[in-house]
Amino acid sequence: MCGIVAAVAGRDVVPLLLEGLRRLEYRGYDSAGVAVIVDGKLQRLRSAGRVAELTAATAQNKLTGNTGIAHTRWATHGAPSEKNAHPHISGGIAVVHNGIIENHDAIRLKLQAAGYQFTSDTDTEVIAHLIHRHMQTAADIFAATCAAVGELQGAFAIAVATEAEAGRVVVARRGAPLLLGIGDGEMFAASDASALLQVTRRMIYLEEGDVVDLHRERYEVRDAAGKKVERPIHLSELTADAVDLGPYRHYMQKEIFEQPGALANTLEMVVNAQSLSPQLFGVDAAKTLAEIDSVLILACGTSYHAGVVARYWIEAIAGLPCIVEIASEYRYRASVPNPRALVVTISQSGETADTIAALNFAKELGHRHCLSICNVPESALVRLSDLRFLTRAGPEIGVASTKAFTTQLAALVLLTLVLAKLRGRLTAANEQELIQALRHLPAALSHVLQVEAQIKEWAKKFAAHDHALFLGRGIHYPIAMEGALKLKEISYIHAEAYPAGELKHGPLALVDKEMPVVAIAPNDALLEKLKSNMQEVHARGGQLYVLADRDARLVSSAGVEVIKLPDHAGILSPILHTLPLQLLAYHAALVRGNDVDKPRNLAKSVTVE
Ligand code: M6R
């Protein structure tokens, strides 16, 4: 995952920036770079390798300076290259960036028409040139960055330095984490607190849309509306070997809110891509994926739910038959193997005993093509599979899986689209449209997280009950399953999920005024059917809690509470609808006083049968 470190000080900041990058190494990266201002000139060094190599290069070049920005970049398919490593420069302005700029194509065209020349394949270079362009009319680098940020769409964090204004760094955040470190006569910024512990424990966690002007002795924060604001200083209690909670109370809460960034990291490879390549899944993937005639998905728990969502995508979009099995069942079942099937295992940890055993069993049965979707690169599952896709959720500490799930869904969308393309079922226009939708996804998730205050109100009511039902239809049925699993796992409220059409075949008998019923109601082809199912609940006194799209014609009334999601995502809708359910479980568990991160009887990695 990409990392940012920035500093303005009275001393040489190069060792501080490099140490900051070194502390971010655990997040994974494959190139690194630093830019500092030396005697009014910007000097940049980049390396398509480790921070240690960059450090050696800075020593060799005797690089020193009092103002600087640095970055680790986790490149994607194809060789990570020096030309794509950050910082990117335009004139005397340098920029580092995490996240996705959705409208980089449109801005690039505009800048090219104005004479700007591009030397990398990144969306970051667009930001550098855009700020440079605004510098022609803006009063200073702060004003130019504010103007440029106003033109950017997407979820991102940036740091900017210019040789024209040494002793000043500007940073901005929207949808990707960024914090300030307040030193004594020196100021810092980073994407993760662990990078700054070497210099200060006084941190400010920036809010959505903040742009900050950093000088040695002072800083100014402007909010999304451009208003000067104060942000509270937080004293970090992070120890060197722990993952900081930052402003959050629990890892689960932190991980829920990290999802825009986690998805941006996972989808980084499609940001600049003009097309989707099978190589996303490994160098030999094109041949294998073209050969297969069906898909068999094996997984447990939340990862299994990701697989069930994928079945809807794979069959509808790629036109391939897809079976999803709970790994602990599959491994003991006498099934009929199909050597032409692609066996997909999904796991956050890559160490789940049942999933590993299921994969080994599938191989024993004669399955030949194996792909794992996993969050841990060195895990057993990844090592056992020929093809792989590594989600970039970052470490997930809360036992309840959150960002691992949504990044798995992102990986499975990519798999679906690649399979569809190989089968001639994806037009070039559709492909472009879907790439654009994927670019927008992190920003859409940031918008959805804004429903937290409304969800808290629901959670207070749920916490008073011992049972709940979750309803969904079609591809949102597995999202209902995931919502029910989250709720029971950490709040200990008994929850069941049903495809809404099944209600009248039995579960309706459970519905009375004591039964809260969550309905996942996206504005899709099944909405009218779902409305009838909701009527069945309403007529029996059940309390309905409806998660609708912003354009659905559903309104709150007696016994029906509707929350509308502020964004709409088409085929990506299951990813958006997951977040309010995670928040519901989290807040219900809090109201009940449960240990959210370590629910009773459960372990993070289930490495035993
Ligand atoms: O590491 P894995 O994804 O293989 O784990 C599978 C399940 O144990 C896991 O998803 C479990 O269901 C979570 N605690 C759910 O939040």
Short mmCIF file of all heavy atoms in Angstrom, two decimals, residues 300-304 346-352 355 399-402 408 482 485-486 489 602-606, ligand 1:
data_model
loop_
_atom_site.label_atom_id
_atom_site.label_comp_id
_atom_site.label_asym_id
_atom_site.label_seq_id
_atom_site.Cartn_x
_atom_site.Cartn_y
_atom_site.Cartn_z
N CYS A 300 -14.85 -19.78 3.74
CA CYS A 300 -15.58 -19.87 5.01
C CYS A 300 -16.05 -18.48 5.46
O CYS A 300 -15.39 -17.48 5.15
CB CYS A 300 -14.68 -20.39 6.12
SG CYS A 300 -13.98 -22.00 5.80
N GLY A 301 -17.12 -18.46 6.23
CA GLY A 301 -17.56 -17.24 6.92
C GLY A 301 -17.80 -16.09 5.95
O GLY A 301 -18.44 -16.22 4.91
N THR A 302 -17.26 -14.94 6.32
CA THR A 302 -17.43 -13.74 5.51
C THR A 302 -16.87 -13.94 4.11
O THR A 302 -17.45 -13.48 3.12
CB THR A 302 -16.73 -12.56 6.23
OG1 THR A 302 -17.55 -12.21 7.34
CG2 THR A 302 -16.54 -11.37 5.35
N SER A 303 -15.75 -14.65 4.00
CA SER A 303 -15.15 -14.88 2.68
C SER A 303 -16.09 -15.71 1.81
O SER A 303 -16.15 -15.54 0.59
CB SER A 303 -13.80 -15.58 2.82
OG SER A 303 -12.92 -14.77 3.55
N TYR A 304 -16.83 -16.63 2.45
CA TYR A 304 -17.83 -17.42 1.72
C TYR A 304 -18.92 -16.48 1.17
O TYR A 304 -19.34 -16.61 0.01
CB TYR A 304 -18.44 -18.48 2.65
CG TYR A 304 -19.68 -19.14 2.12
CD1 TYR A 304 -19.61 -20.09 1.10
CD2 TYR A 304 -20.94 -18.79 2.62
CE1 TYR A 304 -20.76 -20.69 0.60
CE2 TYR A 304 -22.09 -19.39 2.12
CZ TYR A 304 -22.00 -20.33 1.11
OH TYR A 304 -23.13 -20.91 0.61
N ILE A 346 -11.07 -18.12 -1.33
CA ILE A 346 -11.08 -16.73 -0.85
C ILE A 346 -10.81 -16.75 0.65
O ILE A 346 -11.46 -17.52 1.38
CB ILE A 346 -12.46 -16.07 -1.10
CG1 ILE A 346 -12.91 -16.26 -2.55
CG2 ILE A 346 -12.43 -14.60 -0.74
CD1 ILE A 346 -14.36 -15.82 -2.80
N SER A 347 -9.87 -15.94 1.08
CA SER A 347 -9.57 -15.91 2.52
C SER A 347 -8.85 -14.62 2.87
O SER A 347 -7.95 -14.19 2.14
CB SER A 347 -8.68 -17.12 2.86
OG SER A 347 -8.24 -17.03 4.19
N GLN A 348 -9.24 -14.01 3.98
CA GLN A 348 -8.50 -12.85 4.46
C GLN A 348 -7.11 -13.29 4.90
O GLN A 348 -6.11 -12.75 4.45
CB GLN A 348 -9.26 -12.21 5.64
CG GLN A 348 -8.68 -10.90 6.17
CD GLN A 348 -7.42 -11.04 7.01
OE1 GLN A 348 -6.42 -10.35 6.75
NE2 GLN A 348 -7.41 -11.93 7.97
N SER A 349 -7.07 -14.29 5.76
CA SER A 349 -5.80 -14.69 6.40
C SER A 349 -4.95 -15.58 5.52
O SER A 349 -3.73 -15.58 5.63
CB SER A 349 -6.12 -15.44 7.69
OG SER A 349 -6.84 -16.63 7.38
N GLY A 350 -5.59 -16.38 4.69
CA GLY A 350 -4.86 -17.37 3.91
C GLY A 350 -4.39 -18.53 4.76
O GLY A 350 -3.62 -19.39 4.31
N GLU A 351 -4.84 -18.58 6.02
CA GLU A 351 -4.40 -19.65 6.92
C GLU A 351 -5.58 -20.45 7.45
O GLU A 351 -5.42 -21.27 8.36
CB GLU A 351 -3.62 -19.07 8.12
CG GLU A 351 -2.39 -18.26 7.75
CD GLU A 351 -1.26 -19.08 7.11
OE1 GLU A 351 -1.31 -20.33 7.19
OE2 GLU A 351 -0.35 -18.47 6.51
N THR A 352 -6.78 -20.22 6.95
CA THR A 352 -7.96 -20.92 7.46
C THR A 352 -7.86 -22.42 7.11
O THR A 352 -7.80 -22.79 5.92
CB THR A 352 -9.24 -20.30 6.87
OG1 THR A 352 -9.25 -18.93 7.26
CG2 THR A 352 -10.49 -20.99 7.36
N THR A 355 -10.31 -24.01 4.57
CA THR A 355 -10.16 -23.55 3.18
C THR A 355 -8.92 -24.19 2.55
O THR A 355 -8.95 -24.62 1.39
CB THR A 355 -10.10 -22.01 3.13
OG1 THR A 355 -11.21 -21.50 3.88
CG2 THR A 355 -10.17 -21.49 1.72
N VAL A 399 -11.68 -9.01 14.91
CA VAL A 399 -12.08 -10.38 14.53
C VAL A 399 -13.16 -10.33 13.44
O VAL A 399 -13.16 -11.15 12.52
CB VAL A 399 -12.54 -11.17 15.78
CG1 VAL A 399 -13.31 -12.42 15.38
CG2 VAL A 399 -11.32 -11.54 16.62
N ALA A 400 -14.05 -9.38 13.54
CA ALA A 400 -15.10 -9.27 12.52
C ALA A 400 -14.48 -8.71 11.24
O ALA A 400 -13.91 -7.63 11.24
CB ALA A 400 -16.20 -8.35 13.00
N SER A 401 -14.61 -9.47 10.19
CA SER A 401 -13.99 -9.07 8.93
C SER A 401 -14.80 -7.97 8.26
O SER A 401 -16.01 -8.11 8.07
CB SER A 401 -13.92 -10.31 8.04
OG SER A 401 -13.12 -10.05 6.93
N THR A 402 -14.16 -6.87 7.89
CA THR A 402 -14.88 -5.75 7.26
C THR A 402 -14.20 -5.36 5.95
O THR A 402 -14.68 -5.67 4.87
CB THR A 402 -14.93 -4.54 8.22
OG1 THR A 402 -13.60 -4.27 8.68
CG2 THR A 402 -15.85 -4.80 9.38
N GLN A 408 -12.26 -8.13 -1.08
CA GLN A 408 -12.48 -9.41 -1.79
C GLN A 408 -13.52 -9.21 -2.89
O GLN A 408 -13.37 -9.71 -4.02
CB GLN A 408 -12.99 -10.48 -0.82
CG GLN A 408 -11.95 -11.03 0.14
CD GLN A 408 -12.56 -11.83 1.28
OE1 GLN A 408 -13.77 -11.88 1.46
NE2 GLN A 408 -11.70 -12.47 2.07
N GLU A 482 -24.27 -11.49 5.15
CA GLU A 482 -23.09 -10.88 5.78
C GLU A 482 -23.53 -9.94 6.91
O GLU A 482 -22.91 -9.91 7.98
CB GLU A 482 -22.27 -10.15 4.71
CG GLU A 482 -21.07 -9.39 5.21
CD GLU A 482 -20.03 -10.23 5.96
OE1 GLU A 482 -20.14 -11.46 5.98
OE2 GLU A 482 -19.14 -9.62 6.59
N LEU A 485 -24.44 -12.10 9.85
CA LEU A 485 -23.24 -12.68 10.49
C LEU A 485 -22.53 -11.62 11.33
O LEU A 485 -22.14 -11.88 12.48
CB LEU A 485 -22.28 -13.23 9.43
CG LEU A 485 -20.94 -13.76 9.96
CD1 LEU A 485 -21.14 -14.95 10.90
CD2 LEU A 485 -20.01 -14.16 8.83
N LYS A 486 -22.39 -10.41 10.79
CA LYS A 486 -21.71 -9.34 11.54
C LYS A 486 -22.45 -9.07 12.84
O LYS A 486 -21.84 -8.96 13.89
CB LYS A 486 -21.65 -8.03 10.74
CG LYS A 486 -20.64 -7.84 9.67
CD LYS A 486 -19.21 -7.86 10.05
CE LYS A 486 -18.71 -9.27 10.08
NZ LYS A 486 -17.95 -9.72 8.92
N GLU A 489 -22.11 -11.97 15.36
CA GLU A 489 -20.72 -12.18 15.76
C GLU A 489 -20.27 -11.24 16.87
O GLU A 489 -19.59 -11.65 17.80
CB GLU A 489 -19.86 -11.96 14.51
CG GLU A 489 -18.43 -12.32 14.63
CD GLU A 489 -17.69 -12.15 13.29
OE1 GLU A 489 -18.21 -11.47 12.39
OE2 GLU A 489 -16.59 -12.69 13.17
N LEU A 602 -14.47 -16.47 19.61
CA LEU A 602 -14.00 -16.42 18.22
C LEU A 602 -12.51 -16.06 18.12
O LEU A 602 -11.98 -15.38 18.99
CB LEU A 602 -14.81 -15.39 17.43
CG LEU A 602 -16.31 -15.67 17.32
CD1 LEU A 602 -16.99 -14.55 16.52
CD2 LEU A 602 -16.59 -17.02 16.66
N ALA A 603 -11.88 -16.52 17.05
CA ALA A 603 -10.48 -16.18 16.80
C ALA A 603 -10.38 -15.50 15.44
O ALA A 603 -11.23 -15.71 14.57
CB ALA A 603 -9.62 -17.44 16.79
N LYS A 604 -9.35 -14.70 15.25
CA LYS A 604 -9.19 -14.01 13.96
C LYS A 604 -8.84 -15.00 12.85
O LYS A 604 -9.43 -14.98 11.78
CB LYS A 604 -8.10 -12.93 14.09
CG LYS A 604 -7.90 -12.12 12.83
CD LYS A 604 -9.12 -11.29 12.50
CE LYS A 604 -9.02 -10.57 11.17
NZ LYS A 604 -10.35 -10.15 10.68
N SER A 605 -7.85 -15.85 13.12
CA SER A 605 -7.51 -16.85 12.09
C SER A 605 -7.89 -18.22 12.63
O SER A 605 -7.42 -18.62 13.69
CB SER A 605 -6.01 -16.85 11.82
OG SER A 605 -5.70 -15.74 11.06
N VAL A 606 -8.72 -18.92 11.88
CA VAL A 606 -9.17 -20.22 12.36
C VAL A 606 -8.28 -21.29 11.72
O VAL A 606 -8.59 -21.85 10.67
CB VAL A 606 -10.66 -20.43 12.04
CG1 VAL A 606 -11.17 -21.70 12.70
CG2 VAL A 606 -11.48 -19.24 12.53
O1 M6R B 1 -9.31 -15.61 7.02
P1 M6R B 1 -10.57 -16.12 6.34
O2 M6R B 1 -11.17 -15.11 5.44
O3 M6R B 1 -10.35 -17.42 5.64
O4 M6R B 1 -11.58 -16.39 7.52
C1 M6R B 1 -12.82 -16.99 7.28
C2 M6R B 1 -13.75 -16.80 8.45
O5 M6R B 1 -13.23 -17.39 9.60
C3 M6R B 1 -13.99 -15.30 8.73
O6 M6R B 1 -14.45 -14.64 7.59
C4 M6R B 1 -15.03 -15.14 9.85
O7 M6R B 1 -16.28 -15.56 9.41
C5 M6R B 1 -15.04 -13.68 10.29
N1 M6R B 1 -14.79 -13.58 11.70
C6 M6R B 1 -16.34 -13.00 10.01
O8 M6R B 1 -16.33 -11.68 10.42
#
